[in-house]
Amino acid sequence: MAHAFRLGDLLQPLCQVIHIPRPCLVCGQRAWRYGVCQMCLCELAQQRQQGRRCERCWVQLPVIGGCRDCSARPLDVEQVFVAWDYLDAAELLIQAYKARQQQWLAAVMANAVYQQIVRQWPERPEQILLLSVPSSRAALIRRGFNPAAEIAKLVAKQLRQPYLVGGLYSVSAQITETQKQRSRQQRLKATAPAWQCATLPADSTVLVVDDVLTTGSTLQHAAQLCRLAGAYRVYAALVARTPWRDHF
Ligand SMILES: [Zn+2]
Ligand SMILES: [Zn+2]
């Protein structure tokens, strides 16, 4: 998708380096450290939809009953940690990060993910190996970076745990834009992305990092590969969750 040239997009990384204030990417008010003002960061942390969540896929549950997706085919993870709902400001920031190559936003997102992990997972194992969901070759060429990997590296640093570079890797480019519109079942039936996972330490606990969780098919594939590669426990951390929509 083509995006209009924005002067601000060029200035943001510069401001990041020389530490001068710039307009908040969300509201336009003055922002310092992250390029997003404190008020917007607080609102992002609080904007999540209220109500019960599925522990495995973080979808908002109906008033009565459990997660329909996970009761039919549960995500093969112990637990997911999700910072934001994919709405409003979160959607804007993730779009800027991925589609407008605002790579500096990785720090904003990694910090939000880290805070969520600390909140939801206070008693963590001593050793956790972080991996990121790979980008297709086409996406890597288009963006020049893997959005999930940049976030995973920073989360690993904050958690003081190792990030396995190239732990999950793509062997061909098969993720297409149309996959985003398919349901989890449809996507699972479709050709799974041709990824591989490096051999992992036996009985290891891994944390797979990705940007957005929509149907869960990408995460499912990643988690299953990690288990086949030796992981004993697989957790997942994501920047945002697409809220309950008609795919559910
Ligand atoms: Zn703001
Ligand atoms: Zn679920």
Side-chain angles (χ1 to χ4, degrees), residues 171-188:
V171 288
S172 74
Q174 295 189 20
I175 300 180
T176 63
E177 289 298 313
T178 53
Q179 269 190 268
K180 291 175 187 167
Q181 278 91 50
R182 295 179 185 162
S183 72
R184 183 187 298 178
Q185 291 304 322
Q186 285 170 325
R187 288 179 69 172
L188 287 169

Side-chain angles (χ1 to χ4, degrees), residues 11 14 49 66 89 100 102 124 171 176 184 193 195 198 225 232 236:
L11 294 177
L14 182 67
Q49 292 182 335
R100 286 167 30 214
Q102 294 294 291
R124 300 182 291 279
V171 288
T176 63
R184 183 187 298 178
W195 298 342
L225 283 174
Y232 177 55

Side-chain angles (χ1 to χ4, degrees), residues 24 27 37 40:
C24 167
C27 71
C37 74
C40 286

